[in-house]
Amino acid sequence: MPELVPLSGSERSELPDATPAGTPLDPSEVITVTVVLRRRAEVPAELINTTATISTQELGERYGANPADVTLVADVLGRYGLTVTEFQPGSRRLKVTGMIAAMSAAFGTTLTAVTSSPLGGTGRVTHRYRTGSLSVPSELSGIIVAVLGLDDRPAARAHFRRLTSASPDGVAAPHAAVSAGVPLTALQVASFYDFPANTDGTGQTIALIELGGGYTASDLSTYFSGLSLSVPTVTAVGVDGGSNSPGSSADGEVELDIEVAGAVAPKASIVVYFAPNTDQGFSDAISEAINATPTPTVVSISWGGPESSWSSQSMSAMNETIADAAALGTTVTVAAGDNGSSDNPSSTSGVAVDFPASSPYSLACGGTTLIGNTATNAITSEVVWNEQASNEGATGGGVSVVYAEPTWQTDAGVPASAGGGTGIGSAGKPGRGVPDVAGNADPVTGYQIVVDGQPEPVGGTSAVAPLWAGLIARLAQATGTRFGLLQPLIYKGVTPGVAAAGFNDVVKGTNGAYQAGPGWDACTGLGSPNGTALLSLLSPSTTNPTDPSGPTDPTGPTPPAGSSSSGSSPGNGAGW
């Protein structure tokens, strides 16, 4: 067998609470992992940073994996008894199947069975586990850039919040800070934000990424009939063995996403991708979504975890997949997190931002507390969502320590990380600021939905991602434009301390370490949307694409060195 060499970025940290499972792993058990290969060429920046787009076929042919690399990987891994069962050219992903013993030999690791606490959750989960780095056969050094799924620890948490404070009789108690607030419907929120008239998402596709839970037809029927709307077209797609499986606490996330997006864009088609809550499942689900037919207008993600909880290869794989989405003309909206500037449900100290919201290719969505007059659709108060004192969450936000500040954000006034340091995020090398935009997220002021047969108010930045997804679908319908990476358009002309065109500037409140103020801030980004003003801002005269064959556009970020991954679609295999 060839010599093994380290795989850069594959380091996995120890889980401090991991304990051996009662039953050890069987070395002969057959598992499937995702192997990501290098690109044949880098995606030009102008495809990412403008409204120019390419097709999924063109993505694969120009920027996918080289067929010679695929053949070599299949041959070398075959010597270890591993089989390539599927190849998805656009995403550069191989599905590789074989026994645990063979996987361990080929990738230079030891897998064990442990139980641990899920990220931000309760209880214990049994899963495969490894620590340290992976290796690859020397012949494949530089060709394989990620191996996902050997360790299948829970990867992310859902960013939705139910009301938790209650009086002794069990009735939810009002917040002192929002005593005038009442839970709103998604339609009321859209009215407050002046979503553009005569739009409903017709002709657009919204993809939702879910890592657990499910929905029922009866819940959707009850919810949409209560709003005097027809149930939109909703399709479930399973990824890596995931499925629509209602009956767990994650149902609140799934049904929140469908019901908010479907209410504000009722004529859009909604496709829900269900995958296991692992780095492999998460990355593969995004990849499946963006490379589907038809290509979605927008992908909404309401799951994530602190940047420190991810391996570098996992982040790179997902980051480049989201960059591919931009090249395909798909906008990816991502919840910024519900645990304030610490991004930690058990502590308010320290600072961290949530990934994949911190990807420079994600439209990161923060949260507000919205109060208004439902008779006039006038906003009377909008402040940073922060109810950590009552254990009901606060918007995430801050400065990335992984991703440098994109050039479209350099004039926004992103501060140095409140955590200090000398690397990315410090004053010397500014980091990507989170969030970009915001919307109503406080569970007290929204959203009235139906979950597991019961109506209830649910909030969190999980609600903001599908809200923005629905708005983007309506803006795309109105303009006939697929926006892809939206930030170069909405940050254009932004200056520190000045309200941005197309937004309601949220200037009061804090998420812990960061304070809101005029213009962009690390609590609510540019602010909450004014849909009609955004429609004017994003009209075709302002979104003319750069010719993809022209010079590289210097106004956008480039993927970090060593990043990897792309997208795929169901049924896109090549006969392996």
Side-chain angles (χ1 to χ4, degrees):
M1 291 296 178
E3 175 191 1
L4 297 182
V5 297
L7 176 60
S8 177
S10 63
E11 296 82 4
R12 270 290 202 183
S13 59
E14 293 186 5
L15 293 172
D17 70 338
T19 58
T23 303
L25 292 178
D26 178 357
S28 65
E29 178 186 351
V30 174
I31 62 174
T32 298
V33 301
T34 298
V35 174
V36 185
L37 307 185
R38 64 186 177 185
R39 293 187 188 276
R40 65 173 72 190
E42 290 301 313
V43 181
E46 62 269 17
L47 272 179
I48 296 173
N49 300 309
T50 73
T51 54
T53 64
I54 57 174
S55 69
T56 53
Q57 180 177 347
E58 291 170 324
L59 178 68
E61 292 173 349
R62 299 180 189 177
Y63 313 112
N66 189 314
D69 285 349
V70 177
T71 300
L72 180 61
V73 171
D75 177 60
V76 173
L77 294 184
R79 301 174 203 166
Y80 289 85
L82 303 178
T83 303
V84 174
T85 57
E86 185 178 345
F87 168 44
Q88 300 164 342
S91 68
R92 300 171 285 118
R93 288 165 191 260
L94 305 177
K95 293 298 177 68
V96 177
T97 299
M99 293 188 293
I100 286 176
M103 292 283 183
S104 298
F107 299 116
T109 191
T110 299
L111 299 178
T112 59
V114 303
T115 65
S116 69
S117 300
L119 184 68
T122 59
R124 305 283 291 180
V125 177
T126 299
H127 56 88
R128 293 191 301 273
Y129 178 65
R130 68 173 180 86
T131 59
S133 300
L134 297 175
S135 296
V136 297
S138 57
E139 295 170 79
L140 305 181
S141 179
I143 296 176
I144 291 179
V145 295
V147 179
L148 307 177
L150 291 169
D151 181 321
D152 60 354
R153 70 183 72 179
R157 56 180 175 240
H159 293 313
F160 75 103
R161 287 284 180 142
R162 290 182 161 103
L163 289 175
T164 58
S165 59
S167 62
D169 62 1
V171 178
H175 297 273
V178 292
S179 58
V182 294
L184 302 167
T185 68
L187 295 181
Q188 289 171 325
V189 174
S191 294
F192 283 129
Y193 291 148
D194 199 17
F195 278 28
N198 303 315
T199 60
D200 55 14
T202 294
Q204 313 304 310
T205 299
I206 299 173
L208 306 175
I209 305 300
E210 306 296 351
L211 305 180
Y215 64 90
T216 64
S218 60
D219 279 353
L220 300 189
S221 178
T222 300
Y223 173 78
F224 286 103
S225 64
L227 295 177
S228 298
L229 295 172
S230 299
V231 178
T233 301
V234 180
T235 305
V237 176
V239 179
D240 295 347
S243 65
N244 177 25
S245 303
S248 72
S249 61
D251 293 355
E253 178 60 68
V254 177
E255 303 210 86
L256 175 69
D257 291 347
I258 296 171
E259 291 170 11
V260 170
V264 300
K267 295 300 183 181
S269 297
I270 297 176
V271 185
V272 190
Y273 291 83
F274 290 96
N277 186 4
T278 64
D279 62 352
Q280 178 189 22
F282 202 169
S283 186
D284 285 350
I286 302 171
S287 181
E288 295 280 1
I290 71 164
N291 281 272
T293 302
T295 303
T297 306
V298 59
V299 175
S300 176
I301 302 173
S302 294
W303 300 72
E307 288 183 326
S308 61
S309 69
W310 300 90
S311 70
S312 178
Q313 67 166 2
S314 299
M315 294 182 75
S316 293
M318 294 174 67
N319 185 58
E320 281 207 10
T321 299
I322 299 171
D324 285 346
L328 294 168
T330 299
T331 306
V332 180
T333 62
V334 186
D338 295 350
N339 296 290
S341 58
S342 71
D343 204 33
N344 185 342
S346 60
S347 173
T348 57
S349 63
V351 294
V353 292
D354 213 73
F355 179 84
S358 67
S359 164
Y361 309 114
S362 296
L363 185 73
C365 301
T368 69
T369 296
L370 173 69
I371 300 173
N373 186 324
T374 55
T376 63
N377 295 327
I379 297 173
T380 56
S381 171
E382 189 165 23
V383 300
V384 176
W385 168 47
N386 188 341
E387 295 299 335
Q388 285 183 298
S390 55
N391 196 33
E392 283 166 9
T395 183
V399 182
S400 174
V401 297
V402 175
Y403 297 105
E405 184 178 64
T407 55
W408 41 259
Q409 204 175 41
T410 55
D411 294 329
V414 178
S417 170
T422 58
I424 290 176
S426 68
K429 191 176 182 183
R432 188 267 201 267
V434 176
D436 297 302
V437 298
N440 184 42
D442 193 316
V444 170
T445 60
Y447 295 65
Q448 290 278 17
I449 65 170
V450 176
V451 181
D452 296 334
Q454 300 297 320
E456 66 170 304
V458 176
T461 55
S462 277
V464 188
L467 179 77
W468 267 91
L471 172 58
I472 290 166
R474 290 171 63 160
L475 292 169
Q477 174 195 1
T479 61
T481 301
R482 296 173 56 83
F483 300 110
L485 188 68
L486 194 62
Q487 288 95 317
L489 299 175
I490 62 177
Y491 277 87
K492 186 177 182 180
V494 166
T495 57
V498 178
F503 291 87
N504 306 308
D505 201 7
V506 180
V507 300
K508 294 183 179 180
T510 174
N511 67 354
Y514 301 96
Q515 181 75 37
W520 185 92
D521 57 65
C523 300
T524 59
L526 298 173
S528 63
N530 180 312
T532 298
L534 279 173
L535 176 57
S536 177
L537 180 72
L538 300 172
S539 64
S541 63
T542 68
T543 57
N544 289 329
T546 300
D547 181 356
S549 64
T552 297
D553 185 332
T555 62
T558 55
S563 58
S564 62
S565 182
S566 184
S568 58
S569 68
N572 218 21
W576 291 96

